[in-house]
């Protein structure tokens, strides 16, 4: 299977439906939109395009647990897709240490996922290929029907996840409070572009990405990151475009220049601290340090 990409929307940084439509090949089978930074991609349009071309949709909601589409349905309800995948890595909105979850409304997919998670094994009497009357079949009997792996979440991780789920609304509320302060503080900085929120959708705000016109402030991104680090403020770049990565270039022939909007975004982006435990003083310290960059 060969991966392909379509460029992002210049404001939302999610898959641009128009780019998707222009990049469909006769053998394109699956669309994987990412809900970048928590903001739901334009799923209604994406699903209309996918249906028209007979494509399957898997939503990458690693950033978007707790987010909602414009129809007010939660991300993960699969109202536009066959499956939605979540990540519970420690930096995500909720965590189980590592691991994730997949949601689907399709019973066949659900049962297949259950099997793949457990080495491709089943004990379900309705699914066994052997006859139940066969002497080989008994209470011990199981069959390996697929090449699966051990993708099981431990009970300990699941217990942590249940505890985290109960706190999720509080976490998201705090994230929103913090970005409201950031947006207010930064709105008049001419060298900085705020993270755009598409009207009508609800973002759980996994990340807060500002865009900086580095030329205008006369500093490189490295200088900016180092200046902030010296003030004990961690920043990161989310992400280096996938088509820049050696694996994708060597195996599939992607090259710099293939996705101009993604590349333009990459030149300017910087994620600044956003996590529920930030105190009001922490937020103010970040605001002061960012404002200082342009002075
Ligand atoms: C958008 C996106 N998709 C997928 C993943 C992979 O998640 P995991 O590491 O839990 O498999 C990540 C991880 O950061 C991500 O940010």
């Amino acid at each position: 299977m060969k991966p392909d990409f379509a460029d992002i929307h210049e404001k939302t940084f999610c898959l641009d439906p128009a780019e998707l439509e222009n990049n469909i090949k006769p053998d394109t089978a699956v669309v994987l939109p990412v809900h970048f930074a928590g903001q739901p991609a334009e799923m209604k349009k994406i699903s209309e395009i996918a249906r028209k071309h007979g494509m399957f949709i898997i939503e990458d909601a690693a950033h978007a647990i707790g987010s909602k589409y414009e129809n007010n349905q939660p991300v993960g309800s699969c109202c536009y897709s066959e499956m939605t995948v979540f990540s519970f890595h420690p930096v995500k909105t909720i965590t189980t240490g590592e691991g994730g979850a997949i949601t689907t409304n399709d019973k066949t997919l659900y049962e297949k996922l259950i099997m793949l998670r457990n080495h491709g094994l089943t004990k379900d009497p309705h699914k066994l290929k052997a006859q139940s009357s066969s002497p080989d079949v008994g209470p011990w009997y199981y069959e390996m029907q697929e090449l699966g792996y051990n993708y099981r979440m431990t009970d300990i991780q699941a217990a942590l996840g249940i505890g985290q789920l109960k706190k999720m609304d509080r976490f998201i509320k705090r994230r929103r409070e913090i970005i409201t302060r950031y947006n207010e503080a930064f709105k008049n900085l001419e060298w900085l572009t705020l993270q755009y929120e598409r009207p009508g959708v609800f973002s759980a705000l996994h990340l807060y990405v500002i865009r900086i016109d580095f030329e205008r402030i006369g500093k490189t991104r490295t200088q900016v990151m180092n200046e902030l680090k010296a003030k004990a403020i961690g920043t990161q770049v989310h992400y280096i475009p996938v088509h820049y990565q050696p694996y994708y270039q060597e195996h599939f022939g992607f090259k710099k220049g293939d996705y101009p909007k993604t590349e333009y975004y990459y030149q300017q982006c910087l994620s600044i601290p956003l996590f529920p435990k930030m105190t009001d003083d922490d937020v103010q310290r970040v605001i002061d340090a960012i404002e200082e960059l342009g002075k």
Side-chain angles (χ1 to χ4, degrees), residues 34 60 62-63 87-89 92 98-99 239:
V34 177
D60 180 339
H63 295 182
S87 165
F88 303 144
H89 176 271
K92 297 299 191 305
E98 276 286 3
Y239 297 92

Side-chain angles (χ1 to χ4, degrees), residues 152-162:
R152 294 186 299 268
M153 180 182 278
T154 65
D155 288 354
I156 298 165
Q157 286 175 292
L160 172 60
I162 290 167

Side-chain angles (χ1 to χ4, degrees), residues 220-233 235:
T220 64
R221 183 157 52 195
T222 300
Q223 285 171 325
V224 164
M225 289 179 81
N226 286 340
E227 194 175 315
L228 293 171
K229 193 175 172 197
K231 296 179 178 175
I233 295 171
T235 55

Side-chain angles (χ1 to χ4, degrees), residues 231-249:
K231 296 179 178 175
I233 295 171
T235 55
Q236 185 51 292
V237 170
H238 295 101
Y239 297 92
I240 302 170
V242 183
H243 69 285
Y244 282 12
Q245 295 295 348
Y247 177 84
Y248 287 90
Q249 297 199 344

